[in-house]
Amino acid sequence: MTRDSRSRGSTTLVFGIGFAVFASIAFFLANAGINPISNHRFRGINPDQAPGIGILVLFFFSAVAAFIWHAFAMDTGNPGTVWGDLTTSPLPAFALLFGLWATANLSLALGAIADAFHRTLWAVFLVVSVLIVILAITIGVMASNILTLSTPVALTMTAICLIVTTAALIPARLFAVARARVTTRIDAAHEARLQSLLMALAPGEHLMLHFADRENPAEPILAATNQRLLLAAPASTGTGPTRPGQIRILDQAHPGQLRGASTAFRPAGHTTSAHFRDRPDMELVGGDPSEADKFAEALTSLATTGRLPQEEDT
């Protein structure tokens, strides 16, 4: 019995991955606006329909697999169970449909939350991503047991799961949309701050590298140009948060003084430091830690080799 269960679980995993691949192909074709059954390959499909098309293809393959498996299975299951009654009653098919639908809802809800935070609160994004993996494994194990349950029990369980996940998906979607609007405003404010910095540069001076806390547009920006290293902050001019305004230079140093850069977690917050010879460091508190690490590595490369990492690769 244990051996049969393991065989069924491994087969389910293999076919599940295969179905996901097929559904992903449909998704990316639709997302690119490509209709392979039409003479006009780049017309006829709205990319907005890509998620729905991908889910429908996944449902279709999952349902048709189930019946193919049952037709060739050595053990067609006990009467009264989902697997045993799959071809004799519509109720097991509804149980499978509700289960697949609930799984898709849960994935979309968690994906919406993760996507809402992936650019601003990376720690939340990491936690939600780990939860998605754990839940995917858990759902896979539970789904393999649904086939052995009695049809009324399985139908009741999957129907409840469908209702709960649908109720969770709606606020998750609304939250993701609201968070996207916040992110858009953050991007606009950061772009205005960057434009203010560019307007403050001297003739012939161009920006090579910069880092700032994107969520706090009033905070300083640490930058490297072809003529200097500088720490600058927007001046209080009364301009709107999405319009370039005046900027004041808080500190600056000659490129020849640069020794490198590093990041560290301190009580005040995650700190990015530019290190110099014969003068104090320039420090910026806040910002995405992973982006800060990339900036520090690039600044160190600029100090030691005179080139940025991407320039070294070419």
Side-chain angles (χ1 to χ4, degrees):
M1 178 66 84
T2 302
R3 185 172 163 187
D4 292 341
S5 298
R6 289 178 180 174
S7 177
R8 182 182 296 173
S10 61
T11 304
T12 301
L13 179 62
V14 171
F15 277 91
I17 294 174
F19 295 155
V21 171
F22 279 111
S24 297
I25 292 174
F27 168 81
F28 286 112
L29 286 175
N31 195 54
I34 300 175
N35 184 358
I37 61 176
S38 172
N39 292 329
H40 303 285
R41 289 181 172 267
F42 293 93
R43 300 186 207 172
I45 291 183
N46 189 333
D48 293 342
Q49 300 173 353
I53 291 175
I55 293 296
L56 286 175
V57 171
L58 183 61
F59 281 0
F60 173 77
F61 275 117
S62 300
V64 174
F67 286 99
I68 291 177
W69 286 348
H70 194 274
F72 289 94
M74 296 296 294
D75 179 10
T76 56
N78 298 322
T81 64
V82 173
W83 187 244
D85 294 347
L86 188 62
T87 57
T88 61
S89 170
L91 295 182
F94 278 108
L96 289 177
L97 174 63
F98 290 166
L100 291 170
W101 198 343
T103 302
N105 281 348
L106 182 61
S107 300
L108 291 173
L110 291 175
I113 296 173
D115 183 65
F117 287 111
H118 85 281
R119 294 181 57 192
T120 52
L121 296 179
W122 65 274
V124 176
F125 166 69
L126 182 62
V127 170
V128 174
S129 300
V130 171
L131 286 177
I132 290 175
V133 174
I134 295 175
L135 285 172
I137 297 173
T138 304
I139 290 171
V141 174
M142 294 175 60
S144 64
N145 294 324
I146 288 178
L147 298 177
T148 62
L149 297 176
S150 67
T151 299
V153 171
L155 186 61
T156 302
M157 289 178 56
T158 55
I160 292 174
C161 289
L162 178 59
I163 294 173
V164 171
T165 55
T166 301
L169 177 60
I170 295 174
R173 172 64 178 167
L174 294 175
F175 171 75
V177 171
R179 187 67 187 179
R181 291 177 181 150
V182 172
T183 303
T184 300
R185 291 196 294 268
I186 290 173
D187 289 344
H190 175 70
E191 183 63 25
R193 175 173 48 175
L194 184 58
Q195 290 299 320
S196 297
L197 176 62
L198 293 174
M199 292 167 58
L201 298 182
E205 184 179 16
H206 63 268
L207 186 64
M208 301 175 64
L209 200 63
H210 74 279
F211 175 71
D213 185 350
R214 298 181 67 91
E215 292 201 66
N216 295 291
E219 294 299 314
I221 182 169
L222 187 58
T225 74
N226 60 326
Q227 297 181 9
R228 55 181 167 166
L229 283 301
L230 54 88
L231 186 67
S236 300
T237 60
T239 57
T242 60
R243 294 173 52 195
Q246 295 181 355
I247 200 165
R248 53 195 175 98
I249 306 300
L250 304 177
D251 197 1
Q252 59 183 339
H254 190 272
Q257 296 177 285
L258 181 65
R259 291 192 298 110
S262 65
T263 62
F265 284 97
R266 297 179 181 174
H270 191 268
T271 304
T272 305
S273 303
H275 310 295
F276 301 94
R277 301 178 183 86
D278 304 324
R279 55 148 294 147
D281 294 345
M282 289 184 189
E283 295 185 344
L284 188 148
V285 179
D288 188 307
S290 61
E291 293 296 325
D293 291 341
K294 293 178 183 178
F295 174 81
E297 292 173 4
L299 202 58
T300 300
S301 174
L302 187 64
T304 55
T305 68
R307 294 179 295 178
L308 297 175
Q310 60 267 28
E311 296 175 336
E312 295 177 354
D313 296 335
T314 58

